[in-house]
Amino acid sequence: MGIPSLVLLLFPMILISESQLCSNWGTYSANSPYSKNLNTVLSSLPSNITENGGFYNATAGHDPDKVYASSLCRGDLSSNRCYKCINSTIQGIIEQCPNQKEAIMWGDATTCMIRYSNRKIFGRMELTPSQCVPNPNNKTGDYSQFNETLYDLMGRLTTHASSGSSGLKFATGSSDGVFGLVQCSPDISKADCSVCLQGAMGEGCGFGMEGGRLLSPSCILWFENFKFYDSTADTVDSSQVPPTPVVNSPPPIANFSPPSQSITKGTSQVVSKIIVPIIVTLVILITITCALLRKRLKHKVENDDTIKRLESLQFEFSIIKAATDNFSDNNKLGQGGFGSVYKGVLPNGRDIAVKRLSECSAQGEEEFKNEILLVAKLQHRNLVSLLGFCSEGTERILVYEFARNGSLDHVIFDATRSAQLNWEMRYKIINGIARGILYLHEDSRLKIIHRDLKANNVLLDEEMNPKISDFGLARLFVLDQTQCITRRVAGTYGYMAPEYASQNRFSAKSDVFSFGVLVLEIVTGKKNSWLSNSNELEHLLSQAWKNWRKRTISNLIDNTLRNGSTSGIIRCIHIGLLCVQENAADRPTMASVVLMLSSHSLSLPEPSQPGFLMYSNTNSGMPALESTSGTTTSSHSLENPEKTTYLSVN
């Protein structure tokens, strides 16, 4: 047995105990409906997977005990080995993850995968939980050359696996002694496959070692310095690509002696050997020259437009300083993770809101200006307009339109001001916020996910029209670049979707969850959490769900709205509960939400239980975020998701 074969056999033995991940998303008891459904669905996998090309999804039972299971064999496995791997992995996952409602296991040295859950997992790209398994041997030789070869190979394998020519979403290949394998779950899209594999490569698993594998629910990536896969031929192999043919130069004219054949034939040979290559070369050169000139001209025009656009948006620091009375505390409107906000008045008398960003941003001036150009293109009646910016020295300043009625939280949570908001005005605010978020998700050029939608990030103009703020500010920083005030501004507890808070997975559905919380706050006039008369912490989602199940939902309605349209108010509570459902896949899109709000004849589905993610210990010592009003709140930045728990309602 050769050394590579011996390594291939011994290396997986080290990894077997590390190839399963048991989730803490809940447990089931023996002989429960969930246990029976799990046994049913797992027992169906071995026979079906061989009949379905090494991939099979199955379900058993009904909610809340429904089980979703997925099985996948590596693309180079024979049917017999695939069957054996799935069969043994089922036994392994039951033994090593007893009573867990969700688990994943890669069996037989990553030749197959079993995954099951009590939530919908089919057709969804998921990067977590992931596992890095590096080769234990350090890399020797030219490290930079190895990395260059590895990146090039994995890039080509990713392209092949995610292309239309690869229905299995599987590819293997080699280049200069580096062997690689990539595979995606066949039920995710080609685009998601590419993103998943690129993300896996970005983890750097096994860099500096002779190999490594990154395992995630939706894709795997594996490389070694020996051939570890079982295919007889690589799907992508640079060593098998023929070199580019070299066109021989014609012989010198002086040495050319025509053969004793007809002049016509001799002339045709001259044309084919000399004239045609020259003409082809000239055409290529002309084409390239024209393309370069067009590109240069287009780039010059774009640069000129960019410069003009920046000049129209740029404010001098002296003007901003004068407008805010040298950033006087009397003009300070609030302070948040990205900096302080001041009211200002321009020389023409226009009121503005000035956000002076924290100096901890590592962004350079050019990057800052480029981001400004992108954000300035976001124009919608329900978004706060960015009027311009200032970038001088270490100063980074954003200039927004001024919202005369302040933020929404200062209105709906104030007993006096909230009494002035009748149902028609509140419905107008709800509808405006929904349309603003829909614009960010689907209609804007940037396709932005807000990630921090909350009451104090919604401003109200003089006609009480809602204006979403901070919708693009996160683009101006990387996530951990706001250390001057908070370690990480990535959302606010109470508004954060459970999958975002616990696993840092965010999507448009994360914004939908935050919108649902906001709707319930607007209708009830209560914050997402508060202290009761008995000094107990109450949660709005918990109260809303209890009242929904008891059919006493009218108990939630703000007392100042008792004379409003009760059916319309209850419909908005219904929509809010649909938006805060625990499973992100069950939440509607913002397009559907806008349709639900505008069409009262449209029937609404029954909501499922919300995601009740709050602190399990309010004295955990975690820092409070500072609100835009300058006072600390009970909301926290996401730093220790393991200190959270789900609060269920029975």
Side-chain angles (χ1 to χ4, degrees):
M1 180 180 291
I3 296 297
S5 300
L6 181 61
V7 173
L8 179 59
L9 288 177
L10 293 181
F11 181 37
M13 292 175 64
I14 304 173
L15 309 174
I16 292 295
S17 63
E18 300 178 344
S19 58
Q20 85 284 341
L21 292 167
C22 311
S23 173
N24 60 355
W25 282 76
T27 59
Y28 63 89
S29 57
N31 299 319
S32 65
Y34 190 88
S35 175
K36 294 176 181 177
N37 291 334
L38 178 60
N39 289 334
T40 299
V41 74
L42 290 180
S43 64
S44 71
L45 299 180
S47 58
N48 281 290
I49 195 167
T50 55
E51 297 176 2
N52 291 276
F55 172 71
Y56 185 66
N57 285 337
T59 62
H62 302 281
D63 290 331
D65 298 307
K66 189 172 184 178
V67 180
Y68 301 81
S70 182
S71 52
L72 175 64
C73 283
R74 228 171 58 192
D76 57 331
L77 254 62
S78 65
S79 297
N80 184 47
R81 191 177 174 193
C82 176
Y83 177 88
K84 290 180 179 179
C85 182
I86 292 296
N87 211 28
S88 63
T89 306
I90 289 173
Q91 299 302 316
I93 201 170
I94 293 174
E95 293 173 2
Q96 299 185 43
C97 298
N99 308 117
Q100 269 77 33
K101 282 193 173 182
E102 181 169 336
I104 184 171
M105 185 173 185
W106 295 272
D108 190 14
T110 325
T111 54
C112 69
M113 179 195 74
I114 293 290
R115 183 186 182 200
Y116 69 82
S117 178
N118 61 337
R119 60 187 178 87
K120 295 177 182 176
I121 57 175
F122 305 151
R124 302 171 61 184
M125 182 193 67
E126 296 189 355
L127 302 176
T128 57
S130 64
Q131 190 169 24
C132 172
V133 187
N135 186 307
N137 300 319
N138 291 325
K139 180 73 183 75
T140 58
D142 190 338
Y143 182 69
S144 60
Q145 180 60 45
F146 176 81
N147 276 352
E148 183 177 338
T149 301
L150 175 62
Y151 270 105
D152 177 69
L153 173 63
M154 287 304 175
R156 289 185 289 112
L157 293 180
T158 295
T159 300
H160 185 84
S162 59
S163 69
S165 62
S166 178
L168 289 176
K169 295 186 174 64
F170 172 80
T172 59
S174 65
S175 178
D176 294 336
V178 182
F179 297 81
L181 177 151
V182 298
Q183 183 167 13
C184 294
S185 179
D187 59 341
I188 66 173
S189 69
K190 299 172 185 175
D192 282 347
C193 176
S194 179
V195 169
C196 187
L197 291 173
Q198 290 177 30
M201 195 62 189
E203 293 290 327
C205 180
F207 282 22
M209 315 302 285
E210 289 186 350
R213 65 188 86 175
L214 194 288
L215 314 175
S216 74
S218 294
C219 66
I220 63 170
L221 179 147
W222 190 353
F223 71 92
E224 299 289 349
N225 64 350
F226 58 88
K227 191 172 184 178
F228 57 90
Y229 42 86
D230 295 336
S231 60
T232 56
D234 294 333
T235 57
V236 176
D237 191 338
S238 62
S239 65
Q240 296 177 4
V241 178
T244 303
V246 179
V247 179
N248 293 325
S249 301
I253 298 295
N255 296 329
F256 177 70
S257 176
S260 59
Q261 295 178 1
S262 67
I263 296 176
T264 303
K265 184 175 181 180
T267 302
S268 65
Q269 288 180 342
V270 172
V271 171
S272 62
K273 290 184 178 180
I274 302 177
I275 305 300
V276 171
I278 292 175
I279 292 175
V280 170
T281 302
L282 286 175
V283 170
I284 292 174
L285 288 174
I286 292 171
T287 302
I288 293 173
T289 302
C290 291
L292 289 174
L293 288 174
R294 283 197 302 269
K295 185 176 181 180
R296 183 175 297 179
L297 180 61
K298 181 181 179 182
H299 184 65
K300 183 179 184 302
V301 171
E302 289 177 348
N303 280 344
D304 291 343
D305 290 343
T306 299
I307 292 171
K308 291 178 182 178
R309 179 67 172 151
L310 281 171
E311 289 175 348
S312 68
L313 292 172
Q314 191 153 10
F315 285 83
E316 293 182 6
F317 181 68
S318 58
I319 292 178
I320 301 299
K321 189 175 179 181
T324 59
D325 192 18
N326 195 18
F327 303 100
S328 167
D329 285 342
N330 293 331
N331 288 328
K332 193 171 184 178
L333 299 174
Q335 184 167 310
F338 286 118
S340 301
V341 183
Y342 300 85
K343 180 184 177 182
V345 182
L346 294 176
N348 62 6
R350 180 172 186 176
D351 291 333
I352 56 173
V354 175
K355 179 162 287 189
R356 192 181 194 185
L357 302 180
S358 303
E359 293 183 6
C360 50
S361 172
Q363 239 189 1
E365 185 172 357
E366 290 305 314
E367 291 87 349
F368 176 77
K369 289 179 178 179
N370 288 336
E371 293 290 359
I372 290 295
L373 286 174
L374 291 175
V375 175
K377 292 177 181 178
L378 296 174
Q379 298 292 329
H380 190 274
R381 62 175 302 188
N382 296 119
L383 302 182
V384 174
S385 296
L386 178 68
L387 304 180
F389 72 99
C390 174
S391 177
E392 292 186 17
T394 59
E395 293 287 351
R396 298 290 186 270
I397 294 172
L398 303 174
V399 181
Y400 290 100
E401 66 172 313
F402 181 71
R404 195 163 300 279
N405 279 304
S407 59
L408 179 62
D409 61 320
H410 289 162
V411 178
I412 59 173
F413 302 140
D414 182 274
T416 303
R417 297 189 68 185
S418 64
Q420 301 170 6
L421 282 180
N422 58 29
W423 172 239
E424 286 71 21
M425 296 174 71
R426 297 195 195 204
Y427 175 76
K428 173 183 170 183
I429 292 170
I430 292 172
N431 198 45
I433 297 170
R435 292 183 181 277
I437 295 297
L438 174 61
Y439 171 79
L440 293 177
H441 285 185
E442 299 186 19
D443 300 330
S444 72
R445 297 180 181 182
L446 302 182
K447 311 298 183 187
I448 286 178
I449 298 172
H450 193 288
R451 291 201 290 178
D452 197 20
L453 183 63
K454 55 186 177 182
N456 61 346
N457 275 342
V458 176
L459 307 181
L460 300 171
D461 66 12
E462 56 187 358
E463 296 179 354
M464 303 302 286
N465 293 307
K467 303 275 188 178
I468 300 169
S469 66
D470 282 354
F471 47 82
L473 195 54
R475 296 182 61 87
L476 303 172
F477 296 85
V478 295
L479 285 179
D480 292 319
Q481 264 183 335
T482 56
Q483 298 176 4
C484 294
I485 295 180
T486 61
R487 179 158 180 231
R488 184 176 183 182
V489 178
T492 305
Y493 272 108
Y495 293 95
M496 293 175 69
E499 71 276 5
Y500 185 23
S502 63
Q503 300 181 39
N504 205 22
R505 297 189 339 232
F506 67 89
S507 65
K509 294 297 184 73
S510 308
D511 278 353
V512 173
F513 185 95
S514 303
F515 173 79
V517 176
L518 200 48
V519 169
L520 295 174
E521 288 184 328
I522 293 171
V523 173
T524 63
K526 295 181 179 180
K527 296 182 179 181
N528 55 66
S529 62
W530 67 92
L531 286 176
S532 66
N533 294 332
S534 58
N535 211 32
E536 294 290 328
L537 190 63
E538 299 283 352
H539 301 286
L540 180 57
L541 299 191
S542 176
Q543 291 295 319
W545 183 243
K546 283 180 180 179
N547 281 281
W548 179 266
R549 293 180 64 186
K550 294 178 180 178
R551 296 296 183 258
T552 57
I553 201 69
S554 59
N555 292 341
L556 291 171
I557 301 174
D558 192 336
N559 290 330
T560 62
L561 300 179
R562 296 300 176 182
N563 295 327
S565 170
T566 304
S567 61
I569 296 172
I570 292 178
R571 182 177 176 83
C572 277
I573 294 176
H574 191 164
I575 294 172
L577 286 171
L578 289 173
C579 292
V580 298
Q581 293 178 103
E582 184 170 353
N583 191 339
D586 294 336
R587 299 171 207 151
T589 62
M590 287 310 302
S592 297
V593 169
V594 170
L595 181 62
M596 293 175 188
L597 289 169
S598 60
S599 177
H600 294 280
S601 60
L602 185 69
S603 60
L604 305 179
E606 189 74 11
S608 60
Q609 177 174 295
F612 303 108
L613 186 69
M614 298 293 175
Y615 274 117
S616 59
N617 181 4
T618 56
N619 297 318
S620 61
M622 293 176 65
L625 288 177
E626 294 189 64
S627 70
T628 54
S629 63
T631 58
T632 57
T633 71
S634 61
S635 301
H636 300 262
S637 60
L638 176 60
E639 293 299 332
N640 290 317
E642 67 273 11
K643 291 188 177 181
T644 62
T645 186
Y646 285 94
L647 307 179
S648 300
V649 181
N650 297 318

